[in-house]
Amino acid sequence: MRTGVFLDYSGGFREAVEHIVVLEKAGVDIALVAEAYSYDAISQLGYLAAKTSTIELGSGVVPIYTRTPSLLAMTAAGLDYVSDGRFRLGIGTSGPQVVEGFHGVPFDAPLGRTREVVEICRQVWRRERVQHQGKNYQIPLPADRGTGLGKALQLINHPVRENIPIHIAALGPKNVELSAEIAEGWQPVFFLPEKADDVWGDALRAGNAKRDSSLGDLDVMVGVSLAVGDNVEDRLNWAKPHLALYIGGMGARGQNFYHKLATRYGYGEVADHIQDLYLAGRKAEAIAAVPDDLVRQVSLIGPRGYVKERIAAFAEAGVTTLLATPVTADSAEYITYVEELQQLLP
């Protein structure tokens, strides 16, 4: 099992990079930068690439709707170049709240667009002439009329790698099946080990049955809130605002993927209550309504022995990379928590 760090998109990035520089020396494998509706992930990843030398870097994740497939590929190739081959492209659909509400772009055909984005990115990295011939990215090229429109283009530069790893954030069964079929990695959110097979097992098996062996085994990359110690029970509350935001506020009723996930975990009534409070503007009450048990089940918060047991549960459920978000405001404690995690890995 690999270790990684998830940088909070709403936190202080410069301070977080200082943590990554230290953790790189400690052997942490990967650092991911998220993108939602704060600063973009790409500029921050470029800064991080300049400050590090060995740790793998990735977007975790960028929405596929906000950049063209070719731009995603160009950007990934550029970040792979400035990081000397250390980048992996994390993509996802995000949701209507971000895509339509913030970017003003229609949220449509998530499965088809995801597949075509991956195909086009790989065309670009192989320096093939890009063909937009799918259902969602389809531009028929007319006969050349002196305008240059009849000639497909290829990337001018020679990428460091023609097979930059792609991981996909996915929650729904069809999206997860697609991820297991075509991507190097899959990034679920709020992963509850004991429920994972019930929720995603069939989809993962269906996708793996169609998987090209050249992709290797699927890297299951799971983010966890992290605090290790005998007196960290209060840190459960630190993780609740994030859960409340996503379960309650990241989408309208009936269009909130995280609410649906909590429901599939058996927290349907609680999820409804959190959503009611959040959409009514009662955010503090929504946060307070998040159960401690749910936080414990999707996090690594507690004494060393307990955290070790939970790591074993994640491993048993198929997790191959743990992406930690230390729940602390203290820099020394941040480093200590991640180092403790490394020591507890099987």
Side-chain angles (χ1 to χ4, degrees):
M1 185 180 282
R2 301 197 311 159
T3 56
V5 179
F6 219 133
L7 277 66
D8 186 353
Y9 55 76
S10 62
F13 186 78
R14 291 182 186 273
E15 294 80 5
V17 170
E18 293 174 3
H19 296 151
I20 300 304
V21 171
V22 174
L23 292 172
E24 179 181 53
K25 297 176 182 177
V28 170
D29 297 291
I30 186 169
L32 293 190
V33 178
E35 181 175 286
Y37 43 99
S38 58
Y39 291 140
D40 73 292
I42 306 308
S43 59
Q44 298 187 66
L45 281 160
Y47 179 79
L48 190 54
K51 295 289 185 178
T52 58
S53 58
T54 59
I55 192 170
E56 193 175 16
L57 306 174
S59 53
V61 297
V62 292
I64 60 171
Y65 294 93
T66 58
R67 299 169 177 85
T68 68
S70 291
L71 178 57
L72 276 170
M74 293 162 61
T75 301
L79 284 169
D80 207 43
Y81 174 76
V82 299
S83 66
D84 295 320
R86 293 184 286 132
F87 181 70
R88 65 186 297 154
L89 176 63
I91 59 173
T93 60
S94 187
Q97 185 83 358
V98 171
V99 173
E100 297 183 344
F102 189 67
H103 290 282
V105 178
F107 185 87
D108 62 354
L111 284 171
R113 287 190 183 276
T114 300
R115 183 182 292 275
E116 289 176 42
V117 164
V118 171
E119 291 172 351
I120 292 169
C121 281
R122 289 174 174 158
Q123 286 179 32
V124 171
W125 298 331
R126 292 192 297 264
R127 299 193 70 247
E128 297 173 2
R129 296 193 181 278
V130 178
Q131 301 292 327
H132 295 88
Q133 297 180 342
K135 182 179 179 180
N136 300 287
Y137 298 98
Q138 186 179 81
I139 305 293
L141 294 176
D144 197 313
R145 296 172 295 187
T147 63
L149 290 177
K151 185 177 181 180
L153 300 175
Q154 65 184 139
L155 188 69
I156 294 173
N157 312 85
H158 289 259
V160 174
R161 296 179 292 174
E162 67 174 26
N163 59 337
I164 296 170
I166 295 174
H167 64 264
I168 299 174
L171 293 179
K174 291 297 183 182
N175 306 68
V176 172
E177 180 179 337
L178 180 67
S179 301
E181 177 190 350
I182 68 173
E184 280 84 359
W186 167 51
Q187 187 182 324
V189 68
F190 306 142
F191 188 92
L192 200 163
E194 289 79 7
K195 297 285 187 179
D197 190 67
D198 293 339
V199 175
W200 293 304
D202 289 344
L204 288 169
R205 286 184 282 272
N208 275 310
K210 297 177 283 185
R211 186 178 181 82
D212 189 326
S213 60
S214 66
L215 291 171
D217 294 335
L218 184 69
D219 186 4
V220 181
M221 311 171 68
V222 170
V224 289
S225 296
L226 175 68
V228 185
D230 294 330
N231 300 298
V232 296
E233 188 75 6
D234 65 307
R235 305 303 169 88
L236 294 172
N237 292 327
W238 292 42
K240 289 183 180 183
H242 188 64
L243 279 158
L245 167 63
Y246 278 77
I247 294 172
M250 199 59 75
R253 299 183 193 279
Q255 295 193 56
N256 183 321
F257 307 131
Y258 314 98
H259 178 281
K260 292 178 181 178
L261 178 60
T263 299
R264 296 184 74 184
Y265 282 164
Y267 287 92
E269 291 185 10
V270 172
D272 288 344
H273 183 50
I274 293 169
Q275 187 176 61
D276 288 343
L277 292 169
Y278 211 98
L279 295 181
R282 296 158 63 183
K283 296 182 181 179
E285 294 175 64
I287 292 168
V290 176
D292 287 353
D293 283 348
L294 176 58
V295 181
R296 285 194 187 93
Q297 290 173 318
V298 301
S299 304
L300 294 175
I301 298 176
R304 283 176 60 91
Y306 173 78
V307 170
K308 187 172 184 177
E309 291 176 2
R310 294 307 296 158
I311 291 171
F314 279 94
E316 179 66 22
V319 176
T320 50
T321 301
L322 279 173
L323 303 164
T325 300
V327 282
T328 177
D330 180 86
S331 292
E333 197 170 54
Y334 185 106
I335 301 298
T336 298
Y337 285 164
V338 179
E339 291 177 339
E340 291 265 17
L341 173 62
Q342 289 180 289
Q343 295 170 13
L344 294 171
L345 291 182

